[in-house]
């Protein structure tokens, strides 16, 4: 899979109603650590069919960022059955990202 | 065994790798998470020669690619210990053990915390260490900045153009930072400066809701309701894992002169974690060049 771009119109379908767990990457183009993490997330999206990775541009989707209490990026939020189960803020390693999805 | 192991893939470490490769030495760069370092957080670098504007991410990616193309190896593992013997240095991560003839410490620094309960949990939920990164989340909201150096003053100025109200909390009665910044802040109608005070408590539910500020002179406690707290109380060098081996000053910086030599033969230091006058991108890359050149000289003389 590739990373799915998500906005407020498709958030419910792509994230909350997803059959498989979802890792939501709240990010922005101007955010260096977000860009630094992107290649890792792209590679994980390709190699881990067990969950879906979505990207949310917080500048365009400020309502979603506010709804989910995101006030610092990069912010990764793990969803399972429509519920937040895990979250991390800041640049983290590939292993730490994988752990978010296992926890 | 490698010729040189560089600990840290920020501008200093990656420049050291470039210089060491151009001297035809084998190089391994070890970094905890990803290349880039602190400069990743800078959206626009305006004071590095050659380009008038470049983002920290683009800058570090270019340096990374340059080092890789020259043949430097990068492995993303955190160094937890270094051992020094006469003819080899051993560098230990949780996953592996590596050896080299020489080591360059380019670990940089990290944000100093206030050390309050719940501070870690509230990062990204109202607590931030980077106003230019997170300021946009606080448009028309109430924020406080804690600190008295230039970073704190610049953060408060930056936030005063976004937020409804900015409190600047400083533990002394005057600022160490630039006079002009302090003067500009005092003119801002939406900025209140609270002198001689410490933030003593973070009040939160799911996210930060208020802070308690204690006056150092009379002990009075004031509660300030707010949406965000920006902590700008300096940085600490990431040298703790080497403190048994390498001589540090009281603030934790590796004691070394412009030649980047530490107290241990064959171990060098480059960048923000060294004792120095000016910690800037250009001085970090300068250190990288010096440390690599000295490391190569050390290997050649053995």
């Amino acid at each position: 899979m590739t990373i799915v771009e998500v906005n407020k119109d498709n958030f419910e379908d792509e994230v909350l109603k997803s059959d498989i767990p979802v890792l939501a990457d709240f990010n922005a183009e101007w955010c260096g650590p977000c860009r630094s993490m992107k290649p890792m997330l792209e590679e994980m999206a390709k190699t881990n069919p067990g969950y879906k990775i979505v990207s949310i541009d917080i500048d365009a989707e400020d309502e979603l960022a506010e709804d989910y209490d995101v006030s610092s990026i990069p912010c990764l939020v793990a969803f399972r059955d429509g519920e937040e189960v895990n979250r991390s803020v800041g640049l983290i390693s590939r292993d730490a990202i994988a752990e978010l999805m296992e926890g | 065994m490698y010729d040189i192991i560089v600990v840290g893939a920020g501008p200093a470490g990656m420049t050291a790798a470039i210089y060491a490769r151009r001297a035809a030495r084998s190089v391994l760069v070890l970094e905890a998470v990803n290349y880039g370092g602190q400069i990743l957080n800078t959206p626009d670098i305006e004071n590095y020669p050659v380009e008038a504007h470049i983002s920290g991410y683009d800058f570090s990616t270019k340096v990374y690619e340059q080092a890789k193309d020259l043949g430097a190896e990068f492995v993303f593992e955190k160094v937890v210990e270094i051992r020094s013997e006469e003819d080899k240095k051993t560098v230990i991560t949780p996953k592996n053990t590596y050896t080299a003839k020489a080591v360059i410490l380019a670990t940089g620094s990290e944000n100093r915390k206030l050390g309050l309960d719940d501070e870690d949990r509230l990062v990204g939920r109202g607590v931030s260490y980077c106003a230019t990164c997170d300021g946009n989340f606080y448009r028309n909201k109430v924020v406080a900045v804690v600190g008295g150096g230039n970073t704190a003053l610049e953060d408060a100025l930056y936030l005063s153009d976004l937020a409804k109200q900015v409190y600047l909390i400083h533990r002394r009665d005057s600022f160490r930072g630039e006079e002009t910044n302090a003067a500009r802040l005092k003119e801002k109608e939406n900025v209140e400066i609270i002198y001689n005070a410490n933030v003593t408590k973070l009040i939160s539910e799911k996210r930060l809701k208020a802070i308690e500020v204690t006056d150092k002179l009379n002990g009075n406690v004031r509660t300030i309701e707010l949406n965000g707290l920006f902590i700008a109380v300096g940085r600490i060098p990431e040298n703790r894992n080497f403190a048994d081996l390498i001589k540090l000053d009281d603030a934790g910086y590796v004691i070394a002169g412009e030649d980047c030599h530490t107290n241990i033969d064959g171990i060098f230091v480059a960048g923000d974690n060294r004792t120095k006058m000016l910690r800037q991108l250009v001085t970090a890359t300068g250190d990288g060049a010096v440390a690599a050149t000295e490391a190569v000289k050390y290997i050649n003389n053995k």
Side-chain angles (χ1 to χ4, degrees), chain A residues 69, chain B residues 117-118 121-122 124-128 138 142 144 201-212 224-230:
Chain A
D69 247 338
Chain B
D117 284 350
D118 286 338
R121 181 180 68 82
L122 292 169
R125 288 188 162 106
V127 170
S128 172
Y138 297 94
V142 179
K201 193 177 179 186
L202 306 176
I203 299 164
S204 63
E205 283 169 9
K206 200 177 159 202
R207 56 172 297 136
L208 184 70
K209 291 182 69 184
I211 55 173
E212 264 182 27
I224 298 174
E225 290 194 7
L226 45 63
N227 306 100
L229 176 68
F230 289 85

Side-chain angles (χ1 to χ4, degrees), chain A residues 34-54:
Chain A
C34 304
R35 292 175 69 190
S36 171
M37 217 147 59
K38 203 95 196 178
M40 275 193 273
L41 291 167
E42 279 166 356
E43 200 196 314
M44 292 175 87
K46 271 188 209 141
T47 54
N48 286 293
Y51 53 85
K52 171 160 56 173
I53 300 181
V54 306

Side-chain angles (χ1 to χ4, degrees), chain B residues 153-168:
Chain B
L153 296 175
E154 282 166 11
D155 284 359
L157 270 175
Y158 176 78
L159 290 165
S160 69
D161 289 333
L162 295 168
K164 184 168 65 183
Q165 170 76 35
V166 179
Y167 297 93
L168 176 58

Side-chain angles (χ1 to χ4, degrees), chain B residues 20-42:
Chain B
R21 281 304 301 150
R22 285 177 52 81
R25 292 296 171 181
S26 61
V27 180
L28 171 67
V29 183
L30 292 168
E31 167 64 55
V33 180
N34 206 351
Y35 68 85
Q38 193 192 331
I39 199 70
L40 274 184
N41 289 317
T42 304

Side-chain angles (χ1 to χ4, degrees), chain B residues 235-296:
Chain B
R235 300 185 62 83
I236 39 176
E238 297 199 59
N239 293 325
R240 273 162 306 199
N241 290 344
F242 323 120
D244 292 344
L245 185 64
I246 305 292
K247 246 185 172 163
L248 309 178
D249 72 2
D250 289 343
Y253 293 96
V254 175
I255 298 173
E258 292 300 315
D259 64 4
C260 297
H261 286 239
T262 71
N263 59 306
I264 302 287
D265 271 350
I267 300 186
F268 305 86
V269 60
D272 281 4
N273 57 326
R274 176 171 81 85
T275 50
K276 53 158 71 178
M277 289 271 299
L278 180 67
R279 293 192 174 82
Q280 285 285 303
L281 184 53
V282 69
T283 65
T285 56
D287 270 17
V290 173
T293 306
E294 290 300 295
V296 169

Side-chain angles (χ1 to χ4, degrees), chain A residues 8-53:
Chain A
K8 70 176 190 304
D9 297 327
N10 63 357
F11 184 82
E12 192 171 348
D13 285 343
E14 290 288 353
V15 178
L16 300 181
K17 290 183 175 167
S18 170
D19 297 334
I20 53 174
V22 178
L23 181 65
D25 168 28
F26 288 87
N27 65 84
E29 202 282 325
W30 47 263
C31 161
C34 304
R35 292 175 69 190
S36 171
M37 217 147 59
K38 203 95 196 178
M40 275 193 273
L41 291 167
E42 279 166 356
E43 200 196 314
M44 292 175 87
K46 271 188 209 141
T47 54
N48 286 293
Y51 53 85
K52 171 160 56 173
I53 300 181

